[in-house]
Every structure is written in structure tokens, then in C-alpha cells.
Amino acid sequence: DAGVTQSPTHLIKTRGQQVTLRCSPKSGHDTVSWYQQALGQGPQFIFQYYEEEERQRGNFPDRFSGHQFPNYSSELNVNALLLGDSALYLCASSPWAGSGYTFGSGTRLTVV
Amino acid sequence: GEDVEQSLFLSVREGDSSVINCTYTDSSSTYLYWYKQEPGAGLQLLTYIFSNMDMKQDQRLTVLLNKKDKHLSLRIADTQTGDSAIYFCAQQWVTSYGKLTFGQGTILTVHP
């Protein structure tokens, strides 16, 4: 049984560009959350999707947006990339909001 | 506030016990988690405890919760070199629909 799958694993983008990261949740899970983990820091909550709607959002600007599809997979989009957006982006899924999440291995984004 | 704080480093000898500490904010109706992160990997859920519990044991892992002092600890018995990793404490309010607030992480180094 596959866990949480994220793609791509690594990505290099230029400042000002836009990026899309993808996540497939664990089988049976319908809730997806995204986290940003800067080097040497703990993950920071970006937002959560359930039933194709954004249910909760952390303290991130509108440049960060997302989407959830009917099959529960999700995308994270970041516009107008800044050098400070360089981080590991983690996707986590759960069978329902409030239980322990299963995390993917992340996408390492480098903005140059 | 929503701060979760951890000591940054811990070094132990193989076979000894490790104790990783964490302090958190308001303890009403909250879940507290311990995650492990190995280099280049995502987060692995180790264990969790609800705020109405004092202790939870799972094989080599023991979680202790001191609600009065808002202090959480993770004890790893018979620590092995494979336990070397970063350990994150995370807090989740029951009403927050899944948002996790993480500490900065404790780097555990196990020496042979």
C-alpha cells in the first residue's frame, strides 16, 4: 500500500517564476495538508484541503494557493517565487482531520 | 501564542536511554505528537498522546505529559545508532481541523 506520494522530489526555479507541487494521499485518506519546512526549522502549516475546499490556512501570503481534486490528490502552487520560498514542502494526509497524519518525503524547492 | 519549544541537541551513547523534552502552550483539548525525521526524508509519526493522559508507552518509547508545567517528554530506551535523527514535538488543538504546530526539532546523535 503506497503511502503519501509527492512529485517532483527536487526542483530548481528562478526568482519570479511560478511552481506547482503535487501530492497523492495515502489510500483511504481524504484530507490533505501542506507544510513548509525551511532548513533547520520545524514544518510550518500552509493550508489544509478537505472535500475539495480549503478548510484552514496558516500565515502564508496569497501567493500560496492550492487545489484538491475529486480523487483527493492535491496541488500546491506558489506564484512570484522569492528566494525565501526555498524549502522542503511536505504533504500530509489523514483519513479525517484530527488524527495523526502520514507525511510524504517532500519536494525540495530551491529558488535561485 | 502557539509556540512549541524544544532543546536543539542531544547526544547519547548506544544502549543508554534518551530523553527529549518539549514545552507547549495551552493544554486544553489538544493532541501532542512526536515525529522522527531522517536526513532527506519526510516525517514519521512515532507516537501521540491526548491531553487527558499522563503517560503512554509503546515498546521502546515512553511519552510523559506534565499538564501543570505544559511539558512533554519522549524517552527512548536502549537507544540505537539507527535512532539518530531529528525529533519533532507537535501540538494540535482538537478544534483546529488538523493544523499541527511544530517545535524546532531536537537533533539526536547516538554514539557507538
Side-chain angles (χ1 to χ4, degrees), chain B:
Chain B
E2 298 183 345
D3 289 337
V4 176
E5 296 186 358
Q6 301 178 235
S7 49
L8 295 183
F9 302 98
L10 178 64
S11 180
V12 300
R13 197 173 299 277
E14 189 174 21
D16 288 349
S17 291
S18 306
V19 179
I20 303 170
N21 296 301
C22 169
T23 58
Y24 59 95
T25 52
D26 182 19
S27 60
S28 58
S29 298
T30 187
Y31 288 96
L32 295 150
Y33 297 89
W34 285 104
Y35 283 89
K36 175 184 179 182
Q37 186 175 39
E38 298 184 73
L43 300 176
Q44 175 192 352
L45 176 63
L46 294 176
T47 187
Y48 68 95
I49 191 169
F50 190 57
S51 55
N52 65 354
M53 299 169 65
D54 296 322
M55 186 184 89
K56 182 177 181 181
Q57 188 159 0
D58 184 2
Q59 299 183 328
R60 292 192 299 125
L61 305 179
T62 302
V63 178
L64 294 178
L65 178 59
N66 181 329
K67 290 182 281 292
K68 175 177 171 291
D69 295 335
K70 298 184 179 62
H71 181 265
L72 181 75
S73 67
L74 174 69
R75 178 178 180 270
I76 306 173
D78 187 25
T79 313
Q80 302 298 307
T81 54
D83 294 324
S84 293
I86 304 175
Y87 289 80
F88 291 97
C89 168
Q91 182 173 19
Q92 177 190 39
W93 284 266
V94 170
T95 56
S96 73
Y97 296 103
K99 173 186 174 182
L100 296 174
T101 300
F102 285 85
Q104 199 170 355
T106 298
I107 299 173
L108 173 64
T109 304
V110 183
H111 299 283

Side-chain angles (χ1 to χ4, degrees), chain A residues 2-20:
Chain A
V4 177
T5 305
Q6 291 187 243
S7 63
T9 54
H10 296 84
L11 202 53
I12 299 175
K13 288 288 189 177
T14 303
R15 201 169 30 171
Q17 284 188 315
Q18 179 264 343
V19 68
T20 298

Side-chain angles (χ1 to χ4, degrees), chain A residues 52-73:
Chain A
E52 302 180 49
E53 290 188 8
E54 182 183 293
R55 294 288 173 160
Q56 192 175 12
R57 188 178 183 92
N59 190 24
F60 279 81
D62 292 344
R63 298 187 297 109
F64 289 76
S65 63
H67 188 77
Q68 186 179 34
F69 299 93
N71 66 353
Y72 310 123
S73 66

Side-chain angles (χ1 to χ4, degrees), chain A:
Chain A
D1 179 25
V4 177
T5 305
Q6 291 187 243
S7 63
T9 54
H10 296 84
L11 202 53
I12 299 175
K13 288 288 189 177
T14 303
R15 201 169 30 171
Q17 284 188 315
Q18 179 264 343
V19 68
T20 298
L21 310 181
R22 295 176 176 83
C23 172
S24 293
K26 184 176 179 179
S27 177
H29 289 188
D30 58 7
T31 302
V32 174
S33 299
W34 288 92
Y35 289 80
Q36 180 195 66
Q37 186 179 18
L39 198 62
Q41 302 295 318
Q44 298 289 318
F45 176 77
I46 303 175
F47 42 54
Q48 180 186 77
Y49 278 85
Y50 173 68
E51 293 186 337
E52 302 180 49
E53 290 188 8
E54 182 183 293
R55 294 288 173 160
Q56 192 175 12
R57 188 178 183 92
N59 190 24
F60 279 81
D62 292 344
R63 298 187 297 109
F64 289 76
S65 63
H67 188 77
Q68 186 179 34
F69 299 93
N71 66 353
Y72 310 123
S73 66
S74 177
E75 289 182 348
L76 164 65
N77 301 292
V78 187
N79 294 323
L81 284 166
L82 303 173
L83 296 179
D85 295 331
S86 295
L88 179 68
Y89 288 85
L90 295 164
C91 172
S93 73
S94 168
W96 54 272
S99 63
Y101 283 83
T102 301
F103 279 80
S105 297
T107 295
R108 173 72 63 187
L109 173 65
T110 303
V111 182
V112 297

